[in-house]
Amino acid sequence: MTPTLSPRIQATAAPAIPTVRGWAARYAGAAGPLIDLTQAVPGYPPHPDLLARLAMLAGDRATSGYGPIDGDLPLREALAEDMAGFYGADIAAADIAITAGCNLAFGMTMAVLGGPVVLPVPWYFNHRMALEMAGIPAIPLPCRAEDGFIPTAAGIEAALTAGGRVLVLVTPNNPTGAVYPATLIAEAAALCRKHGAWLVLDETYRDFLPADACPPHALFRDPAWREGLVHLYSFSKAYCVPGHRVGAIACGPVFREALLKVLDTQQICAPRAAQAALAWAVPALREWRAGNRAVMAERGEAFRQVAVRLAGWRLDALGAYFAYLRLPEDGPSAMPAAEALATGRGLLGLPGPFFGPGQERHLRLAFANVELPAISAIADRVSNDVFARA
């Protein structure tokens, strides 16, 4: 008898980014070098002093051993202080757990909370994949381009009434870049309290919010925030260290007690050398981070100017790292269009169907990955004649 694999894993879609990069193997180079806008990676290097510390600490015997399952205290203290200043709220090291990346933070959070989980659509594909692998039901919450891909309070209440026990919000959003208004975030928290549901707020890209949008919400100013809010954060983008896999969860004591079981089982501890280096970087590199926010804003504006030149295309949303483009109505749908752009023009973006139902006319481009000259070249790569072969 032939052994079988997990039905849940078998039913989960193939990873989006390797799929699209596989198409690029058929690109002959006629339009110039590949422009890869698939994965959200910082398009500039880490600070040189951070790199030096990472190198030094990687060779330190002290960082080669196991650490506390909820993270090394210096980094927890540094992040708590940074968050307290950013949100104007009381946040302590006891509220923070360090994780081996934010994707794992999400997966472990879902292991603690269970479901059903309300996911706004379009969703971050790894969130949906994590739920599917764990056998946790998802309730799609459709968001419209006409609303800026921001969920409505009425839609949230309907999903919670339908049985949602957890609401996941990602702002600035992946894939659309949409920034959720503080009023909507407050309404979502109130609705979760009303229905006895948890709010999981993923702010991986909060360091790239416009200055006038900070703080983005007042949830942490509520003395009762620890009773129903779980907050996710990633060091990958702000500090340009995605390969070192460090994320964080902010939560209250009830959630934390259960989380410790999952932390011990699924990660044991987050990478130690990176934790030590980041404990220095969080306070020391504030001005550098602010400068990078300006770099990303410049790239976003450059992409906005490029989008104007794309005949028949519509820029439905843009923010943080991402642009969410609607394809021309007389052209192919997103999957064949993205494949044609990859194989014919060397432009790699992620087609909308990876981000949930109803996204067949959209393409996500992570403009943060590349510098201004490559952004300017996008308009020449997207001329619609490439779709004649799609």
Side-chain angles (χ1 to χ4, degrees), residues 1 19 42 54 74 79 83 98 145 152 170 179 184 189 203 249 258 277 289 315 325 330 357 380:
M1 181 180 294
T19 296
L54 285 165
L79 181 59
M83 290 179 65
I98 304 300
T152 64
V170 181
V179 176
L184 183 276
E203 291 191 286
I249 300 173
R289 285 158 57 199
L315 182 60
L325 287 165
D330 58 353
D380 295 330

Side-chain angles (χ1 to χ4, degrees), residues 29-56:
L34 276 173
I35 300 177
D36 188 347
L37 306 182
T38 54
Q39 193 164 28
V41 295
Y44 43 80
H47 192 282
D49 292 346
L50 177 56
L51 284 175
R53 286 176 180 267
L54 285 165
M56 176 186 68

Side-chain angles (χ1 to χ4, degrees), residues 14 46 56 61 98 105 148 159 201 226 279 301 321:
M56 176 186 68
R61 181 176 177 180
I98 304 300
L201 185 62
R226 295 171 180 86
E301 183 55 34
Y321 270 39

Side-chain angles (χ1 to χ4, degrees), residues 91-107:
I91 302 172
D95 301 317
I96 304 295
I98 304 300
T99 65
C102 198
N103 266 15
L104 186 58
F106 179 84

Side-chain angles (χ1 to χ4, degrees), residues 29 51 61 73-74 97-98 164 179-180 188 222 228 236 242-243 247 259 265 275 282 286 305 347 376 384:
L51 284 175
R61 181 176 177 180
L73 183 58
I98 304 300
V179 176
Y180 293 0
D222 181 350
S236 295
L259 176 66
T265 302
Q275 287 189 72
V282 171
R286 283 198 178 99
Q305 297 303 317
L347 178 65
S376 298
N384 293 335

